[in-house]
Amino acid sequence: VPDGLFDGVLARGEAAAAVGDRAWLQAMLDVEAGLARAEASAGLIAPEDAEAIARACVAEEFDAAALGAAAASSGNPVVPLARALSERVGGDAAGQVHRGATSQDVLDSAAMLVARRALAPLLADLWGAADAAARLAAEHRSTPMAGRTLLQQAVPVTFGLVAAGWLNGVGEAATRLEQVRAERLAVQLGGASGTLAALGDDGPAVLAALARELDLAEPVLPWHADRGRIAELAGALGGAAGAVAKAAGDVVLLAQTELGEVHEDGDRGGSSTMPHKRNAVAAISARACARQAPGLVATLLAAGEHELQRAAGAWHAEWRPFSELLRSTGSAAAWLRDALEHLRADPEAMRANLDRTGGLPLAERVARALAGTLGREAAHDRVREAALDAARSGRPFAEALQARGVGDAAGLLDPAGYLGSAEAFVDRALAAHARRRP
Amino acid sequence: VPDGLFDGVLARGEAAAAVGDRAWLQAMLDVEAGLARAEASAGLIAPEDAEAIARACVAEEFDAAALGAAAASSGNPVVPLARALSERVGGDAAGQVHRGATSQDVLDSAAMLVARRALAPLLADLWGAADAAARLAAEHRSTPMAGRTLLQQAVPVTFGLVAAGWLNGVGEAATRLEQVRAERLAVQLGGASGTLAALGDDGPAVLAALARELDLAEPVLPWHADRGRIAELAGALGGAAGAVAKAAGDVVLLAQTELGEVHEDGDRGGSSTMPHKRNAVAAISARACARQAPGLVATLLAAGEHELQRAAGAWHAEWRPFSELLRSTGSAAAWLRDALEHLRADPEAMRANLDRTGGLPLAERVARALAGTLGREAAHDRVREAALDAARSGRPFAEALQARGVGDAAGLLDPAGYLGSAEAFVDRALAAHARRRP
Amino acid sequence: VPDGLFDGVLARGEAAAAVGDRAWLQAMLDVEAGLARAEASAGLIAPEDAEAIARACVAEEFDAAALGAAAASSGNPVVPLARALSERVGGDAAGQVHRGATSQDVLDSAAMLVARRALAPLLADLWGAADAAARLAAEHRSTPMAGRTLLQQAVPVTFGLVAAGWLNGVGEAATRLEQVRAERLAVQLGGASGTLAALGDDGPAVLAALARELDLAEPVLPWHADRGRIAELAGALGGAAGAVAKAAGDVVLLAQTELGEVHEDGDRGGSSTMPHKRNAVAAISARACARQAPGLVATLLAAGEHELQRAAGAWHAEWRPFSELLRSTGSAAAWLRDALEHLRADPEAMRANLDRTGGLPLAERVARALAGTLGREAAHDRVREAALDAARSGRPFAEALQARGVGDAAGLLDPAGYLGSAEAFVDRALAAHARRRP
Amino acid sequence: VPDGLFDGVLARGEAAAAVGDRAWLQAMLDVEAGLARAEASAGLIAPEDAEAIARACVAEEFDAAALGAAAASSGNPVVPLARALSERVGGDAAGQVHRGATSQDVLDSAAMLVARRALAPLLADLWGAADAAARLAAEHRSTPMAGRTLLQQAVPVTFGLVAAGWLNGVGEAATRLEQVRAERLAVQLGGASGTLAALGDDGPAVLAALARELDLAEPVLPWHADRGRIAELAGALGGAAGAVAKAAGDVVLLAQTELGEVHEDGDRGGSSTMPHKRNAVAAISARACARQAPGLVATLLAAGEHELQRAAGAWHAEWRPFSELLRSTGSAAAWLRDALEHLRADPEAMRANLDRTGGLPLAERVARALAGTLGREAAHDRVREAALDAARSGRPFAEALQARGVGDAAGLLDPAGYLGSAEAFVDRALAAHARRRP
């Protein structure tokens, strides 16, 4: 399990553990085991040798630190791992370990397993966050609050619509990740140069069998030097991180002392120096994790230019950001789920904030209502004058309108009467969630 | 058309033109026209007013520079555009221009149109590059060449397999982009805060009608503050740029003076100072364009955290990288197509390079053949000794094997006899291309 | 001048114009002229030929679009430019144009001139923004306002201290940029491979003379394939953009409707639909520009890996982000200057916001005062209880303290009495500004 | 010490260990100790209390994993650390732990210590790499090799000049990092909101004393929300990584099988499947590490926009990339040093490669020599024709020149006679290194 000094904040949820050394080691061993079985199914090695190999493929029996250190001279940890595995297997079967494969086959296929395993909790957390957002959307479908554009109060929305936006953003990002998980995680097996020459004519058969063994897709070609799958995964994770960051950022903003429209419930967020503070710790942590994604995506995309049949550096450059991106996005999802599951809305604070601007954000509505008689531009200008007067003098907008001969319009200033399709949109988002939720 | 000092290199193909000011302006006007018609179809405005508005929506009649300058005070170019459009429309219809919409509705929907229009030539160039790669793959299905891993000669491949790798990488990236184009380019319409309040109860109807007018998808919700669509488009473009960069990089490497295995045909690549040089100008330019993608993707992903109902900066921060990413990726695709359509392979040079290492890269094969009698590790060690001897002394590998009592194995050193599934993989890639090519 | 559809927002100030095609073209011509004169000073060409060349180096006489188009086949615009310049010069002097130089020499040296010319207005705007921040810091040295950590009210600060933070951040970033401008903008001259072989033994002399002609530093070596200078410039620009983003972000937050502590004065920020809004347009635009910097810096850094004596793509990949980074950062600086020069603070709003929390943020102070008698942990716990009580029940903090037997501490709740070294820090920032301001 | 599965490749050298949890924990404790002593020196706490605190500040006595886990609820590891430290100190002194500081003070100051400690081995490795490059430059000052532009042979250089380029690039990057280390690593101390209010009037005195205690610079202002220092450090590390990547990339290219001009000596680079391969493992690993820098720099720059008095996420988002950037750049430097210290050049291979093009790259020289009689353009065209003839037909360039009536020029085709200022530039680089090497 993650246990670093910063992991309390930056390695939340189970996805973080799923990209640790133990997980990688087991994934590599699963590939070696799968390869042996695939070769047995193709008649290349004896079934009992394959089983002997598979039995030895238990991560706990290997020393990750020693393998890591040994990787320095060979350039990757698979070289010492294959040797250590052969030693553990012993006997005749030892000679069948890693047969026909190259280091990158094992590491790339393992990366796909790691991704699949990390995506399970990551997606569970994303869907959990979506569920929590859906509950908020349903509960507050009609709770009026100030809309805010450019961080200035605008025409009203409902808190349900805000939550529906989080729901839909997270839901669409999760849907895309589901798609990548189902379609783009493929086994890699090419041998030294991608021809599977060491397997004679059996290359495609072993490739197909390995895909079945590992329950990964079978690629058209070995993809050792084609990193499109990693680019797609990275892009989808970057999108998910963005959806998390959007929702978390909104929580942070709405939780500001001066707004006070939401807070995270529970016993946390205490400050060492300011005992009264109730920080939105989960949302803040979600942002912190999510904001590492764009740079990691860029690193993975830039590392996609692999030279000829194996990259001289770009491949190795993927290893850490690959894990980090799964970890950061997974942690971001876990934190957002936490934040939304503990989020409490304060409709009274929302109403009080609406009242502060005395209907000014509804100037649009008033201007439109007056446009019929005054003309669009003139109505806009008249209302703008009144609004500026109100904003500057502090007098009520209704009064400022009155002073300009359009006092009848003051009846239009109730925010609850100007919610447009907010509730309909909430319903659409909930319906879409019900459709796409796995 | 692009005509800047660097556009000869950096703005290739028609995608570049499709993201210019003229194209953006027309797209914004198309949205205004579509909106008017959608509102007419919902009975909100008179059909003749809608047509009057639509008739005025001709980019050539507006001054992009003046609109751009006026955007400084309003924060975006739609404010002055809507005013200018009203003036051009005149009469009663003027008051119906931009009705119920906010600036971001117009700009975001226009961005989707710009993307769709730029993706047409971009995808045509990607598919064209794939077609060219397919021709090379078919023609050179069995042409042996050195495999190169970590830029060292490894077991042989065929040039057809190399080209099949380019084909498959580009083809899968194009397929993903097709998917984004078909599913994720959606109209944006939300009004000031995303409730479409100014349209009364007709919001959803107008939204659906506008989607039909513009032939864009209808979103579940207004997505003004949910940038998942842009993240998906960015990720897909980043993936396409990566596929281009991979292929272009290989061309550059194979065209090196000392390899000379490919060159770009045609009258170009001349150097101002070295008249003999035949630079792979198109491939180099493709790399140059493609390498701008990762940073642009990161910018767009980082800009995805929009505050509440409209971002205070993050939205505006998207405009330039959005266009640049389409332009760079489009230019990269156009250059790669050019490079591959003009690429000439030199099978003799490929053979000569293979001969240089005298079968050393086939040591794997020899070691495996000997493993049956000597055991895997011993065979590996014996062959390694011979190989090191050959590499260091320059004596032929066959001779060095002979000196170690395994001379019979020298018959295994013919590269053409050790191509594994190269040809089968070429066939798979060609078949996949035939299936997915639109 | 910039005049694109988005340039009103994204191309503010004179730095933007300084990176346009005209500016680049003139810079390249200045290099050609400087080279001719440098070669004349070394006796390689006749002084009258050099002057004939220099006289022809006028950007207005060349067709940037045609040169750009011609660059497609040669890979860069210098090849056609040198040919066009030779044609314009005519006679014997024509043969001396571009002598001994390679295209990259001209383009890289021109990039340094472009940078220097763009940095002049960019730095003027940064220093102008610093000056405006200094005025705010001085004027509001003692104006209390709520400190906000994690966007929750914390112990008070003064608005002067906030402005002093902007001042210092911008001032340090400007100082670093001044340093890069003075020390790292160096001429590039290496000829085809960096040996200046075409100049015989006169290479170093011509290099030194060219540096003098262009008033750029003389490098130890030709730096055609060593992009450290560009990395340093990029890093410094990225730092400056970050300083701008920080200040602009604070302005946006403090201008929120519910805080209302600052606003940008002047006739702008009007919304097309909400006439009452007074958006912080300049600060928002500053953020929008600044946020493009990190991705551009990454692109330039990633493009720094140039192959051997000239990069096959990485060099060309620098051109656009180099200009964009100067433009974006320059625009960000210009907008921030605008924002701060027009910024108006509202001390009454600041006081009202402080009053909202009734001294709760001063709990730290109370706890410390009580620690002497109660012990640190106990005092902390007692105060935390009172604070939570106040926060939850809405009763005044003073009363909640009273109820816990520590009512005397209520006298400590005046924010103006707990400003610590805020004023001293303001003075330090002003003094530092006076020292470092050029 | 680093011991992860990928650390053999990705965590080379001592800088990697210097950013581990143990190092961070000790740095935080050093800050707490320094703070206590600084407060004692200002008379705020008793000297014996300060010493009691300092004695307890030993990382081995704390449980990093437990602190990390506890950080989840408080948002950072300093809250539980300060509590644990108080418990360990016990007695009256316990109440003086962490006095007047906020969590970020401790973490930011610790980050500066971590950076300083990691920079020591990182800079030692950079300078070591520079020394190794200097030895190669001196030894091969006059060893001719082909220049290669756009990866095509160009006019010759010397291998010494190539190495001098690496030397100068690495040396300038190291010099910039030395500058950042000396000038920009500053203590952070601001208390809850940056006013040091809890220290009464003693804030500046304690700040100055803490700077002395930790041997860090004293800032003008607390910089908790001004991340310019981190941006400068990041930029300098990014520049260093770029200099490493450039040199490492050249090594990889020159070590290609078909060039064979350099190789890394020593017993490594063995492939699991191709026993003859002698991969440039160290250079490849250097590239792998260096290529992670641009994305990390972008993340740190983007995280620089801190809200008001403490960022709600951006601060936490720095932690991992801060360590990763030091680790990656440090590892890159260590690997490059390893590569260059073991690099062996093969002058015969260099000469053989030069001979392959039979003087074609010297066409420039020939054209210039002929320009006097034929005119510049005509000479260029004549030589280009001959060069194309030679390149296409395979006949010697000398013969092709002869066939065009300019056979006398063949005497100009000796590469060793056309090295221009290569040797002079080597001398300049060596002299500059001697001047700047600490």
Side-chain angles (χ1 to χ4, degrees), chain C residues 126 166 168-174 237-248 290 336, chain D residues 226 228 304:
Chain C
L126 275 184
W166 304 339
N168 204 56
V170 170
E172 290 188 357
L237 289 166
V244 168
K246 192 285 183 268
L336 180 66
Chain D
D226 166 15

Side-chain angles (χ1 to χ4, degrees), chain C residues 57-289:
Chain C
C57 289
V58 179
E60 285 70 15
E61 305 293 332
F62 294 82
D63 179 346
L67 295 172
S73 61
S74 54
N76 71 67
V78 179
V79 177
L81 176 64
R83 189 171 288 258
L85 177 57
S86 282
E87 284 167 14
R88 261 194 69 75
V89 169
D92 287 350
Q96 306 300 347
V97 166
H98 194 68
R99 177 165 173 177
T102 192
S103 299
Q104 193 176 351
D105 293 337
V106 175
L107 207 38
D108 280 354
S109 293
M112 296 292 103
L113 291 179
V114 164
R116 196 182 62 201
R117 291 165 187 174
L119 284 173
L122 188 159
L123 279 162
D125 282 330
L126 275 184
W127 288 120
D131 292 341
R135 282 191 296 274
L136 292 167
E139 185 182 352
H140 294 283
R141 180 177 179 271
S142 308
T143 306
M145 72 185 283
R148 292 178 182 94
T149 60
L150 312 178
L151 292 181
Q152 301 280 308
Q153 282 201 15
V155 296
V157 296
T158 68
F159 179 56
L161 181 60
V162 172
W166 304 339
L167 162 62
N168 204 56
V170 170
E172 290 188 357
T175 300
R176 169 66 187 140
L177 262 179
E178 295 277 2
Q179 187 183 37
V180 171
R181 178 167 67 162
E183 298 172 12
R184 296 294 281 156
L185 301 184
V187 74
Q188 159 59 22
L189 186 68
S193 283
T195 61
L196 286 173
L199 300 182
D201 294 333
D202 295 315
V206 173
L207 177 62
L210 181 58
R212 287 192 302 273
E213 287 288 338
L214 301 180
D215 194 20
L216 291 169
E218 182 189 343
V220 171
L221 294 184
W223 52 273
H224 46 130
D226 166 14
R227 314 312 279 179
R229 294 167 193 283
I230 289 176
E232 283 201 38
L233 176 61
L237 289 166
V244 168
K246 192 285 183 268
D250 283 357
V251 169
V252 169
L253 288 169
L254 296 176
Q256 288 176 97
T257 302
E258 291 81 5
L259 276 72
E261 300 188 357
V262 304
H263 73 272
E264 292 179 10
D265 204 19
D267 187 24
R268 58 186 171 180
S271 156
S272 63
T273 49
M274 284 162 286
H276 75 286
K277 288 186 70 174
R278 295 158 83 198
N279 298 318
V281 168
I284 289 167
S285 300
R287 280 179 123 187
C289 295

Side-chain angles (χ1 to χ4, degrees), chain A residues 134-308:
Chain A
R135 283 191 296 273
L136 292 167
E139 186 182 350
H140 294 284
R141 180 176 178 273
S142 307
T143 307
M145 72 185 284
R148 292 176 181 94
T149 59
L150 310 178
L151 292 180
Q152 301 280 307
Q153 281 200 15
V155 297
V157 295
T158 69
F159 180 55
L161 180 60
V162 172
W166 304 338
L167 163 62
N168 203 57
V170 170
E172 291 188 355
T175 299
R176 169 67 187 140
L177 262 178
E178 295 278 3
Q179 187 183 38
V180 170
R181 176 167 67 162
E183 299 172 10
R184 296 296 280 155
L185 300 185
V187 74
Q188 159 59 19
L189 186 69
S193 286
T195 62
L196 286 173
L199 300 182
D201 293 334
D202 295 317
V206 174
L207 176 62
L210 181 58
R212 285 191 302 271
E213 286 290 337
L214 301 179
D215 195 21
L216 291 170
E218 181 190 342
V220 172
L221 294 185
W223 52 273
H224 47 128
D226 166 14
R227 314 312 278 180
R229 293 167 194 282
I230 289 178
E232 282 200 38
L233 177 60
L237 289 166
V244 169
K246 192 285 183 268
D250 283 357
V251 169
V252 169
L253 288 169
L254 296 176
Q256 288 177 96
T257 301
E258 291 81 2
L259 276 72
E261 301 188 357
V262 304
H263 73 273
E264 292 180 10
D265 204 18
D267 187 25
R268 59 187 170 178
S271 157
S272 65
T273 49
M274 282 163 287
H276 75 286
K277 288 186 70 172
R278 297 159 82 197
N279 298 318
V281 168
I284 290 168
S285 300
R287 278 180 125 186
C289 296
R291 284 180 172 182
Q292 299 178 54
L296 292 166
V297 173
T299 302
L300 286 170
L301 291 178
E305 193 180 333
H306 281 215
E307 293 101 347
L308 297 167

Side-chain angles (χ1 to χ4, degrees), chain D residues 36-429:
Chain D
R37 285 174 169 150
E39 290 174 340
S41 78
L44 290 175
I45 72 173
E48 54 273 23
D49 285 355
E51 288 316 304
I53 292 169
R55 273 194 306 277
C57 288
V58 178
E60 286 70 15
E61 305 292 333
F62 294 82
D63 181 344
L67 295 171
S73 61
S74 54
N76 70 68
V78 178
V79 176
L81 176 64
R83 187 170 289 258
L85 178 57
S86 281
E87 284 167 14
R88 261 193 70 74
V89 169
D92 288 351
Q96 307 300 347
V97 166
H98 193 69
R99 177 166 171 175
T102 193
S103 299
Q104 192 175 352
D105 293 336
V106 176
L107 207 39
D108 279 354
S109 293
M112 296 292 103
L113 291 178
V114 164
R116 196 183 61 201
R117 290 165 188 174
L119 284 173
L122 188 158
L123 278 161
D125 282 329
L126 275 184
W127 289 120
D131 292 341
R135 283 192 295 273
L136 292 167
E139 185 182 350
H140 294 284
R141 181 176 179 272
S142 308
T143 306
M145 73 185 282
R148 291 177 182 93
T149 59
L150 311 179
L151 292 181
Q152 301 280 308
Q153 282 201 15
V155 296
V157 295
T158 69
F159 180 55
L161 180 61
V162 172
W166 303 339
L167 162 61
N168 202 57
V170 169
E172 291 188 357
T175 299
R176 169 67 187 140
L177 262 179
E178 295 278 3
Q179 187 184 38
V180 170
R181 177 166 69 160
E183 299 172 11
R184 296 294 281 156
L185 301 184
V187 74
Q188 158 59 21
L189 187 68
S193 284
T195 62
L196 286 173
L199 300 182
D201 295 333
D202 294 316
V206 174
L207 176 63
L210 180 59
R212 285 191 303 272
E213 286 289 339
L214 301 179
D215 194 20
L216 291 169
E218 180 189 345
V220 172
L221 294 184
W223 53 273
H224 47 129
D226 166 15
R227 314 311 279 179
R229 293 168 194 282
I230 289 177
E232 282 200 37
L233 177 59
L237 288 166
V244 169
K246 192 286 183 265
D250 283 358
V251 169
V252 169
L253 288 169
L254 296 176
Q256 289 176 96
T257 302
E258 291 80 3
L259 276 71
E261 300 189 356
V262 303
H263 73 273
E264 292 180 8
D265 204 19
D267 187 24
R268 58 185 171 181
S271 157
S272 64
T273 48
M274 284 162 285
H276 75 286
K277 288 186 70 173
R278 297 159 82 198
N279 298 319
V281 168
I284 290 167
S285 300
R287 279 178 124 186
C289 296
R291 283 180 172 181
Q292 298 178 54
L296 293 166
V297 173
T299 302
L300 287 170
L301 290 177
E305 193 180 333
H306 281 214
E307 293 101 347
L308 297 168
Q309 281 70 51
R310 181 161 312 124
W315 173 49
H316 316 69
E318 290 171 355
W319 301 340
R320 206 184 308 276
F322 185 88
S323 288
E324 287 295 336
L325 183 56
L326 284 164
R327 173 156 67 166
S328 294
T329 308
S331 300
W335 276 120
L336 181 66
R337 179 185 192 163
D338 185 329
L340 297 186
E341 286 180 349
H342 291 86
L343 202 70
R344 301 294 172 261
D346 186 338
E348 287 177 33
M350 291 170 180
R351 164 61 67 171
N353 286 331
L354 276 169
D355 289 346
R356 269 194 223 184
T357 46
L360 276 171
L362 290 162
E364 173 195 59
R365 181 189 206 185
V366 177
R368 174 141 305 277
L370 296 175
T373 47
L374 304 180
R376 187 164 178 272
E377 292 296 330
H380 185 279
D381 290 348
R382 184 89 57 100
V383 172
R384 183 176 165 80
E385 273 167 37
L388 286 172
D389 175 7
R392 286 171 184 163
S393 68
R395 74 199 295 192
F397 185 31
E399 208 178 295
L401 290 169
Q402 183 86 34
R404 279 158 187 81
V406 289
D408 293 352
L412 299 168
L413 298 184
D414 175 27
Y418 196 60
L419 293 171
S421 303
E423 290 154 319
F425 283 136
V426 170
D427 297 341
R428 287 161 69 119

